[in-house]
């Protein structure tokens, strides 16, 4: 019974809606409102259907409607195949066309036996509210129409299903972005994030890598847990280690693994805490906030101010000259800690914060305590295991007769993965796998030799110091005097 009724009413109401849209285009405003009112009255008199609108833009700042975008994705995937008029919206990854429903097009969907209709409409171009949007074209809105007997099913279950599926499609398809903050206007600029690093290509201890991947995965699945304990859904990672050990590469691998955007925050370009706060609020969820070389970004090593706010005032006592103070950014440790503690991240949902440093010992312990930086990850020199990953990346090999020699050398040297990678990279077309591996062996042996020499020199210097400490005072004095006399003569 219902489908026929639906079809009957559908054609009638659909006809009225199209008539209304057409009439709105040509009639003067007063007449348009009148016609609109009567058409609406007629429709509600005969129509057993309920209608819900989902506008393209919402709120005072006319932000893109979250529900609208999710519906668009859902319809594009699920019912666009039955639509007769499509529009090619954009080009994804510069490769494929993304097709979606065209304006004033209608499609039907079915959910647990209930039929619904989706109609894509535009706000009347002559309506005064259009100018508010600042767009050249009037904004669109979807209307969902369904029979009132399915009210509960649609409102409580179908809409949720559409939004969830639409959001999942969006997160799978979206192009990820790398944001950087602009010093002049203090806002985010972005480019498409296309860093190829993955955990597979990351050279590091296998167990450690697996542990980090599990940690990240667990974090993304713990929405309810964070809500239950009343904490912002965020996790802080501190990556530390010498230059060239893969800290920045690890961040890209994390972003690719989680499908997150990256916000690379340059703290020295932020003038004050107000700007910092604004930047942080403007970041979206499902993102990694990166603050590289934290020890160089701010003087984070200073002591806290005494007293005031029972020690909660974490302003930094910077040990800078007046001139330096003026020049430096006013962003304080207090501003940063507030953010890390969740005040600002609470408004953005699921986020990861990564700090990197070459000098763990230079950081204020308050900044890196667990809870702020939940996981400390040491990125260190290349091991034999890590070398094998790099050899696979750069030379496409899993084994070689020279591996044994290389393995022994890695036990006795501290070479960074960046240097290993540099040695493995063929410098010309005629450099084959063997040449590259021999280059690496040569570099490792030179490094081993250098380290041996340095150790010998240090041992000599130590022995001399000990000998001096053991000798009587008059002897040390005369040795010092002879040394200075020799210097003068030279
Ligand atoms: N663990 C690693 N796995 C794979 N490649 C690596 C690794 N470490 C370094 N590399 C290579 O070396 C280059 C430099 O590494 P990266 O920039 O990640 O080092 P970093 O630890 O961030 O150094 P810095 O402290 O100077 O910022 C990378 O582009 C990458 O090619
Ligand atoms: Mg780096």
């Amino acid at each position: 019974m219902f489908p026929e009724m639906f079809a009957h009413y559908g054609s009638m109401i659909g006809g009225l809606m199209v008539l209304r849209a057409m009439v709105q285009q040509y009639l003067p405003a007063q007449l348009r409102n009148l016609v609109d009112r009567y058409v609406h009255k007629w429709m509600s008199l005969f129509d057993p259907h309920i209608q819900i609108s989902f506008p393209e833009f919402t709120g005072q700042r006319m932000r893109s409607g979250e529900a609208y975008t999710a519906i668009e994705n859902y319809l594009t995937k699920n019912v666009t195949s039955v639509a007769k008029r499509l529009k090619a919206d954009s080009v994804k990854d510069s490769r494929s066309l993304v097709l979606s429903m065209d304006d004033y097009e209608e499609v039907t969907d079915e959910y647990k036996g209930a039929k619904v209709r989706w109609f894509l409409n535009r706000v009347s171009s002559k309506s005064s509210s259009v100018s508010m949007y600042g767009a050249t074209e009037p904004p669109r809105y979807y209307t969902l129409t369904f029979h009132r007997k399915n009210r509960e099913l649609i409102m409580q279950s179908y809409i949720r299903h559409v939004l969830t599926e639409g959001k999942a499609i969006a997160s799978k398809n979206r192009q990820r972005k790398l944001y950087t903050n602009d010093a002049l206007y203090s806002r985010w600029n972005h480019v498409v994030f296309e860093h190829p690093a993955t955990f597979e290509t990351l050279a590091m201890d296998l167990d450690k890598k697996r542990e980090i991947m599990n940690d990240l995965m667990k974090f993304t699945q713990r929405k309810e847990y964070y809500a239950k304990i009343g904490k912002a859904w965020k996790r802080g990672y501190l990556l530390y280690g010498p230059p060239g050990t893969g800290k920045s590469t690890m961040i890209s691998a994390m972003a690719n693994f989680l499908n997150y955007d990256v916000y690379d925050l340059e703290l020295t370009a932020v003038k004050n805490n107000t700007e910092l706060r604004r930047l942080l609020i403007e970041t979206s969820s499902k993102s990694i906030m990166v603050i590289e070389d934290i020890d160089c970004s701010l003087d984070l090593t200073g002591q806290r101010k005494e007293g005031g706010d029972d020690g909660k005032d974490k302003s930094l006592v910077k040990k800078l000259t007046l001139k330096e103070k003026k020049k430096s950014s006013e962003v304080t440790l207090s501003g940063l800690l507030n953010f890390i503690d969740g005040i600002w991240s609470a408004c953005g949902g699921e986020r990861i914060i990564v700090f990197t440093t070459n000098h763990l010992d230079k950081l204020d312990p308050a900044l890196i305590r667990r809870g702020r930086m939940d996981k400390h990850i040491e990125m260190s020199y290349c091991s034999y295991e890590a070398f094998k990953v790099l050899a696979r990346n750069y030379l496409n090999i899993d084994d070689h007769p020279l591996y044994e020699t290389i393995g022994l050398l890695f036990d006795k040297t501290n070479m960074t993965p960046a240097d290993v990678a540099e040695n493995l990279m063929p410098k010309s077309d005629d450099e084959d796998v063997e040449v590259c591996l021999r280059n690496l062996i040569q570099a490792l042996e030179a490094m081993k030799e250098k380290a041996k020499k340095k150790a010998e020199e240090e041992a000599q210097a130590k022995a001399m110091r000990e000998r001096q400490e053991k000798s009587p005072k008059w002897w040390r004095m005369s040795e010092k005097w002879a040394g200075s006399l020799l210097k003068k003569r030279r």
Side-chain angles (χ1 to χ4, degrees):
M1 171 72 181
F2 174 66
E4 295 86 63
M5 233 174 79
F6 193 91
H8 173 69
Y9 283 113
S11 59
M12 190 171 122
I13 303 301
L16 277 170
M17 277 171 72
V18 171
L19 181 72
R20 188 166 80 174
M22 282 170 63
V23 160
Q24 279 175 343
Q25 296 272 331
Y26 303 107
L27 287 184
Q30 278 180 337
L31 214 54
R32 203 167 58 234
N33 290 343
L34 204 68
V35 170
D36 217 27
R37 255 206 333 261
Y38 279 105
V39 169
H40 188 74
K41 241 183 184 169
W42 266 83
M43 277 162 60
S44 52
L45 214 59
F46 294 103
D47 193 4
H49 297 103
I50 295 171
Q51 217 176 62
I52 305 174
S53 303
F54 298 90
E56 189 174 7
F57 299 105
T58 55
Q60 279 190 329
R61 291 179 65 192
M62 292 303 139
R63 281 183 300 175
S64 189
E66 216 180 312
Y68 178 93
T69 317
I71 292 164
E72 189 170 49
N73 285 318
Y74 171 84
L75 294 178
T76 300
K77 174 157 181 254
N78 293 284
V79 279
T80 301
S81 54
V82 295
K84 290 197 178 123
R85 287 184 303 119
L86 300 164
K87 63 171 182 284
D89 244 352
S90 54
V91 181
K92 189 178 173 258
D93 299 338
S94 319
R95 272 172 237 133
S96 55
L97 275 179
V98 176
L99 297 171
S100 59
M101 257 168 84
D102 202 359
D103 298 348
Y104 309 112
E105 177 64 327
E106 188 182 85
V107 287
T108 53
D109 191 17
E110 198 168 334
Y111 182 72
K112 296 188 179 168
K115 285 206 171 172
V116 300
R117 281 183 295 132
W118 286 100
F119 186 69
L120 180 59
N121 210 342
R122 270 191 188 275
V123 172
S124 162
S125 59
K126 285 177 190 159
S127 131
S128 55
S129 61
V130 171
S131 58
M132 280 171 62
Y133 300 96
T136 48
E137 289 190 311
R140 300 177 176 88
Y141 61 94
Y142 280 105
T143 50
L144 168 66
T145 313
F146 52 91
H147 199 283
R148 61 175 165 236
K149 71 175 181 179
N150 296 319
R151 188 190 191 105
E152 285 215 344
L153 175 73
I154 302 299
M155 287 192 171
Q156 289 181 8
S157 175
Y158 175 67
I159 294 178
R160 199 179 326 133
H161 157 76
V162 169
L163 298 183
T164 313
E165 199 169 307
K167 280 180 192 166
I169 296 165
S171 82
K172 214 169 110 193
N173 287 348
R174 80 199 170 109
Q175 277 199 331
R176 278 165 314 113
K177 295 181 183 123
L178 167 65
Y179 294 86
T180 48
N181 56 315
D182 179 315
L184 191 60
Y185 300 106
S186 186
R187 61 170 182 211
W188 294 108
N189 292 325
H190 69 261
V191 290
V192 175
F193 179 77
E194 285 182 319
H195 200 291
T198 61
F199 274 109
E200 204 182 324
T201 61
L202 189 70
M204 68 184 292
D205 180 66
L206 224 68
D207 289 338
K208 212 155 125 185
K209 199 193 297 192
R210 228 173 273 133
E211 188 194 316
I212 297 165
M213 287 165 82
N214 287 340
D215 193 80
L216 288 168
M217 218 49 222
K218 222 194 283 162
F219 166 75
T220 61
Q221 294 160 352
R222 298 186 100 183
K223 184 178 182 176
E224 280 80 26
Y225 173 76
Y226 279 92
K228 198 176 128 211
I229 59 168
K231 272 181 80 173
W233 191 12
K234 67 175 179 73
R235 192 150 176 85
Y237 290 84
L238 174 68
L239 308 184
Y240 64 96
T245 48
K247 296 180 292 298
S248 305
T249 313
M250 159 80 86
I251 295 168
S252 300
M254 282 175 160
N256 285 331
F257 180 63
L258 296 171
N259 207 13
Y260 279 13
D261 288 327
V262 176
Y263 287 85
D264 191 352
L265 180 65
E266 178 54 58
L267 276 176
T268 49
V270 185
K271 287 190 203 81
N272 49 44
N273 281 338
T274 316
E275 274 192 6
L276 177 67
R277 190 170 60 217
R278 190 151 51 80
L279 283 170
L280 300 175
I281 288 172
E282 279 174 11
T283 60
S284 58
S285 63
K286 286 191 182 298
S287 63
I288 300 185
M289 168 78 63
V290 180
I291 305 175
E292 289 255 32
D293 298 316
I294 186 76
D295 49 302
C296 309
S297 302
L298 286 176
D299 181 6
L300 297 171
T301 54
Q303 293 153 10
R304 287 154 181 225
K305 251 185 197 165
E306 293 292 327
D309 222 7
D310 65 353
K312 276 182 195 149
D313 181 2
K314 292 158 185 140
S315 305
L316 199 64
V317 181
K318 293 183 178 174
K319 294 170 192 158
L320 302 173
T321 65
L322 251 175
K323 206 172 151 201
E324 279 174 317
K325 255 185 192 168
K326 266 189 191 158
K327 264 197 333 194
S328 77
S329 144
E330 279 174 32
V331 173
T332 60
L333 181 61
S334 139
L336 199 55
L337 291 179
N338 278 344
F339 154 55
I340 293 165
D341 277 346
I343 294 175
W344 305 120
S345 59
C347 56
E350 155 188 18
R351 285 144 186 278
I352 282 176
I353 306 150
V354 184
F355 280 26
T356 74
T357 181
N358 295 140
H359 308 281
L360 185 64
D361 50 321
K362 278 194 188 175
L363 299 182
D364 184 341
L367 180 72
I368 58 170
R369 72 158 166 77
R370 309 279 157 169
R372 287 199 175 120
M373 294 286 106
D374 303 284
K375 205 161 171 59
H376 298 186
I377 301 168
E378 183 180 9
M379 299 300 288
S380 76
Y381 295 110
C382 195
S383 62
Y384 177 53
E385 204 175 337
F387 152 77
K388 286 203 272 191
V389 177
L390 290 172
R392 204 174 306 131
N393 295 346
Y394 286 82
L395 303 173
N396 211 10
I397 53 167
D398 281 319
D399 204 0
H400 193 276
L402 287 173
Y403 268 28
E404 207 183 320
T405 321
I406 293 174
L408 289 173
L409 282 166
F410 270 118
D411 285 344
K412 296 178 186 112
T413 44
N414 282 339
M415 190 179 266
T416 63
D419 284 337
V420 174
E422 181 57 28
N423 280 298
L424 288 179
M425 198 135 51
K427 310 286 175 307
S428 61
D429 286 346
D430 50 321
E431 279 199 357
D432 62 5
V433 170
E434 176 133 359
V435 175
C436 294
L437 290 178
R438 288 204 183 278
N439 285 344
L440 176 66
I441 291 175
Q442 215 175 347
L444 283 167
E445 271 167 352
M447 189 174 237
K448 191 176 130 194
E449 205 50 45
K450 208 169 148 192
K452 196 174 144 199
K453 228 181 199 166
K454 197 175 164 202
E456 276 169 12
E457 278 169 14
E458 274 173 10
Q460 267 176 16
K462 193 178 167 205
M464 181 114 92
R465 263 198 318 274
E466 277 171 7
R467 210 179 52 237
Q468 274 178 352
E469 273 162 21
K470 275 183 200 154
S471 57
K473 197 175 174 190
W474 64 267
W475 176 253
R476 269 184 276 151
M477 296 282 283
S478 54
E479 239 184 5
K480 205 172 167 189
W481 174 77
S484 60
L485 204 66
L486 219 62
K487 231 185 220 170
K488 264 186 203 164
R489 284 218 176 137
R490 270 191 213 138

mmCIF file of all heavy atoms in Angstrom, residues 54-72:
data_model
loop_
_atom_site.group_PDB
_atom_site.id
_atom_site.type_symbol
_atom_site.label_atom_id
_atom_site.label_comp_id
_atom_site.label_asym_id
_atom_site.label_seq_id
_atom_site.Cartn_x
_atom_site.Cartn_y
_atom_site.Cartn_z
ATOM 1 N N PHE A 54 18.796 19.791 5.698
ATOM 2 C CA PHE A 54 20.199 19.796 6.169
ATOM 3 C C PHE A 54 20.959 20.848 5.356
ATOM 4 O O PHE A 54 21.343 20.605 4.209
ATOM 5 C CB PHE A 54 20.844 18.421 5.966
ATOM 6 C CG PHE A 54 20.164 17.322 6.738
ATOM 7 C CD1 PHE A 54 19.123 16.591 6.185
ATOM 8 C CD2 PHE A 54 20.569 17.023 8.034
ATOM 9 C CE1 PHE A 54 18.490 15.584 6.877
ATOM 10 C CE2 PHE A 54 19.937 16.007 8.746
ATOM 11 C CZ PHE A 54 18.907 15.288 8.171
ATOM 12 N N PRO A 55 21.164 22.047 5.907
ATOM 13 C CA PRO A 55 21.789 23.129 5.130
ATOM 14 C C PRO A 55 23.290 22.927 4.908
ATOM 15 O O PRO A 55 23.960 22.278 5.712
ATOM 16 C CB PRO A 55 21.543 24.376 5.986
ATOM 17 C CG PRO A 55 21.331 23.858 7.356
ATOM 18 C CD PRO A 55 20.803 22.460 7.263
ATOM 19 N N GLU A 56 23.742 23.498 3.802
ATOM 20 C CA GLU A 56 25.172 23.386 3.454
ATOM 21 C C GLU A 56 26.050 24.143 4.449
ATOM 22 O O GLU A 56 27.148 23.725 4.770
ATOM 23 C CB GLU A 56 25.379 23.952 2.037
ATOM 24 C CG GLU A 56 26.755 23.702 1.467
ATOM 25 C CD GLU A 56 26.862 24.154 0.012
ATOM 26 O OE1 GLU A 56 25.919 24.778 -0.508
ATOM 27 O OE2 GLU A 56 27.903 23.877 -0.598
ATOM 28 N N PHE A 57 25.546 25.287 4.899
ATOM 29 C CA PHE A 57 26.309 26.089 5.861
ATOM 30 C C PHE A 57 25.492 26.284 7.115
ATOM 31 O O PHE A 57 24.286 26.462 7.053
ATOM 32 C CB PHE A 57 26.673 27.452 5.277
ATOM 33 C CG PHE A 57 27.519 27.344 4.055
ATOM 34 C CD1 PHE A 57 26.976 27.571 2.800
ATOM 35 C CD2 PHE A 57 28.861 27.002 4.143
ATOM 36 C CE1 PHE A 57 27.748 27.453 1.655
ATOM 37 C CE2 PHE A 57 29.633 26.882 3.009
ATOM 38 C CZ PHE A 57 29.081 27.107 1.769
ATOM 39 N N THR A 58 26.194 26.267 8.248
ATOM 40 C CA THR A 58 25.483 26.452 9.513
ATOM 41 C C THR A 58 26.219 27.444 10.390
ATOM 42 O O THR A 58 27.392 27.737 10.160
ATOM 43 C CB THR A 58 25.396 25.131 10.304
ATOM 44 O OG1 THR A 58 26.729 24.645 10.466
ATOM 45 C CG2 THR A 58 24.536 24.111 9.612
ATOM 46 N N GLY A 59 25.524 27.920 11.425
ATOM 47 C CA GLY A 59 26.168 28.765 12.433
ATOM 48 C C GLY A 59 26.415 30.172 11.927
ATOM 49 O O GLY A 59 26.257 30.483 10.752
ATOM 50 N N GLN A 60 26.847 31.026 12.883
ATOM 51 C CA GLN A 60 27.050 32.434 12.550
ATOM 52 C C GLN A 60 28.207 32.644 11.588
ATOM 53 O O GLN A 60 28.200 33.540 10.778
ATOM 54 C CB GLN A 60 27.323 33.206 13.835
ATOM 55 C CG GLN A 60 26.041 33.523 14.566
ATOM 56 C CD GLN A 60 26.292 34.483 15.675
ATOM 57 O OE1 GLN A 60 27.372 34.487 16.253
ATOM 58 N NE2 GLN A 60 25.298 35.298 15.979
ATOM 59 N N ARG A 61 29.219 31.784 11.717
ATOM 60 C CA ARG A 61 30.399 31.974 10.867
ATOM 61 C C ARG A 61 30.271 31.209 9.558
ATOM 62 O O ARG A 61 31.212 31.087 8.803
ATOM 63 C CB ARG A 61 31.660 31.556 11.629
ATOM 64 C CG ARG A 61 31.965 32.510 12.771
ATOM 65 C CD ARG A 61 33.167 32.079 13.521
ATOM 66 N NE ARG A 61 34.360 32.132 12.705
ATOM 67 C CZ ARG A 61 35.504 31.604 13.025
ATOM 68 N NH1 ARG A 61 35.619 30.994 14.171
ATOM 69 N NH2 ARG A 61 36.556 31.687 12.232
ATOM 70 N N MET A 62 29.060 30.687 9.305
ATOM 71 C CA MET A 62 28.775 30.004 8.055
ATOM 72 C C MET A 62 29.784 28.909 7.759
ATOM 73 O O MET A 62 30.424 28.881 6.722
ATOM 74 C CB MET A 62 28.729 31.010 6.886
ATOM 75 C CG MET A 62 27.565 31.926 6.964
ATOM 76 S SD MET A 62 26.056 30.957 7.027
ATOM 77 C CE MET A 62 25.137 31.851 8.234
ATOM 78 N N ARG A 63 29.977 28.087 8.762
ATOM 79 C CA ARG A 63 30.900 26.974 8.532
ATOM 80 C C ARG A 63 30.184 25.884 7.757
ATOM 81 O O ARG A 63 28.960 25.762 7.833
ATOM 82 C CB ARG A 63 31.395 26.433 9.867
ATOM 83 C CG ARG A 63 32.493 27.326 10.430
ATOM 84 C CD ARG A 63 33.023 26.756 11.679
ATOM 85 N NE ARG A 63 31.970 26.630 12.678
ATOM 86 C CZ ARG A 63 32.128 26.068 13.830
ATOM 87 N NH1 ARG A 63 33.269 25.542 14.143
ATOM 88 N NH2 ARG A 63 31.167 26.007 14.696
ATOM 89 N N SER A 64 30.958 25.108 7.056
ATOM 90 C CA SER A 64 30.392 24.027 6.272
ATOM 91 C C SER A 64 29.664 23.063 7.207
ATOM 92 O O SER A 64 30.214 22.634 8.218
ATOM 93 C CB SER A 64 31.547 23.322 5.565
ATOM 94 O OG SER A 64 31.015 22.435 4.673
ATOM 95 N N GLY A 65 28.387 22.754 6.895
ATOM 96 C CA GLY A 65 27.593 21.894 7.771
ATOM 97 C C GLY A 65 28.149 20.474 7.796
ATOM 98 O O GLY A 65 28.319 19.860 6.747
ATOM 99 N N GLU A 66 28.399 20.004 9.011
ATOM 100 C CA GLU A 66 29.009 18.675 9.160
ATOM 101 C C GLU A 66 28.062 17.589 8.624
ATOM 102 O O GLU A 66 28.467 16.686 7.908
ATOM 103 C CB GLU A 66 29.285 18.439 10.641
ATOM 104 C CG GLU A 66 30.554 17.669 10.894
ATOM 105 C CD GLU A 66 30.755 17.480 12.385
ATOM 106 O OE1 GLU A 66 30.639 18.466 13.131
ATOM 107 O OE2 GLU A 66 31.005 16.349 12.783
ATOM 108 N N ALA A 67 26.754 17.754 8.971
ATOM 109 C CA ALA A 67 25.767 16.763 8.546
ATOM 110 C C ALA A 67 25.637 16.786 7.026
ATOM 111 O O ALA A 67 25.582 15.727 6.389
ATOM 112 C CB ALA A 67 24.428 17.070 9.200
ATOM 113 N N TYR A 68 25.625 17.984 6.457
ATOM 114 C CA TYR A 68 25.476 18.120 4.989
ATOM 115 C C TYR A 68 26.599 17.361 4.271
ATOM 116 O O TYR A 68 26.364 16.592 3.344
ATOM 117 C CB TYR A 68 25.506 19.607 4.613
ATOM 118 C CG TYR A 68 25.403 19.850 3.118
ATOM 119 C CD1 TYR A 68 24.173 20.076 2.517
ATOM 120 C CD2 TYR A 68 26.540 19.841 2.318
ATOM 121 C CE1 TYR A 68 24.061 20.276 1.146
ATOM 122 C CE2 TYR A 68 26.458 20.045 0.952
ATOM 123 C CZ TYR A 68 25.213 20.261 0.372
ATOM 124 O OH TYR A 68 25.125 20.459 -0.973
ATOM 125 N N THR A 69 27.836 17.577 4.738
ATOM 126 C CA THR A 69 28.989 16.925 4.102
ATOM 127 C C THR A 69 28.893 15.410 4.231
ATOM 128 O O THR A 69 29.180 14.674 3.287
ATOM 129 C CB THR A 69 30.300 17.426 4.749
ATOM 130 O OG1 THR A 69 30.186 18.828 4.910
ATOM 131 C CG2 THR A 69 31.508 17.103 3.935
ATOM 132 N N ALA A 70 28.482 14.956 5.422
ATOM 133 C CA ALA A 70 28.368 13.510 5.635
ATOM 134 C C ALA A 70 27.294 12.920 4.717
ATOM 135 O O ALA A 70 27.492 11.850 4.120
ATOM 136 C CB ALA A 70 28.051 13.217 7.095
ATOM 137 N N ILE A 71 26.173 13.634 4.596
ATOM 138 C CA ILE A 71 25.079 13.148 3.726
ATOM 139 C C ILE A 71 25.565 13.093 2.285
ATOM 140 O O ILE A 71 25.317 12.122 1.563
ATOM 141 C CB ILE A 71 23.840 14.070 3.856
ATOM 142 C CG1 ILE A 71 23.237 13.926 5.249
ATOM 143 C CG2 ILE A 71 22.807 13.756 2.781
ATOM 144 C CD1 ILE A 71 22.280 15.025 5.632
ATOM 145 N N GLU A 72 26.279 14.135 1.872
ATOM 146 C CA GLU A 72 26.794 14.187 0.498
ATOM 147 C C GLU A 72 27.668 12.960 0.213
ATOM 148 O O GLU A 72 27.526 12.296 -0.818
ATOM 149 C CB GLU A 72 27.612 15.466 0.328
ATOM 150 C CG GLU A 72 28.004 15.728 -1.105
ATOM 151 C CD GLU A 72 28.587 17.120 -1.268
ATOM 152 O OE1 GLU A 72 29.483 17.476 -0.469
ATOM 153 O OE2 GLU A 72 28.154 17.827 -2.177
#
